[in-house]
Amino acid sequence: MHVGGPAAAYLAVHDCAHLAAVVRLAIDAGITPFILGGGSNLLVSDAGLPGLVLETWTNEDALLGHPPVPDPSAPGRFRLHAFCGLPLPRLAHQS
């Protein structure tokens, strides 16, 4: 038994602007993007994945430039904004 096959195309993105631009380009070109976080708990068919795989794992500070803000719909609670692919333990530690 193998554990996963190749991606037709692969790109690692490390910020929101780059991710948004690449997704727009892929969709405009008729390519279906598959957004992959850290990749844990994921099994891929031995046949691989068609289209474009975008890995979003990041090693940046969780809240860099995005401090927690009060949640207007839930008094006493806050909202966190973080890049997709950020390891949750890092987000929890830095929040």
Side-chain angles (χ1 to χ4, degrees), residues 10-23:
Y10 167 86
L11 180 66
V13 293
H14 302 289
D15 64 63
C16 295
H18 190 197
L19 176 62
V22 170
V23 167

Side-chain angles (χ1 to χ4, degrees), residues 21-51:
V22 170
V23 167
R24 273 193 302 274
L25 287 170
I27 291 171
D28 289 349
I31 299 169
T32 302
F34 177 85
I35 299 175
L36 174 69
S40 62
N41 298 319
L42 175 71
L43 290 176
V44 176
S45 163
D46 290 343
L49 290 171

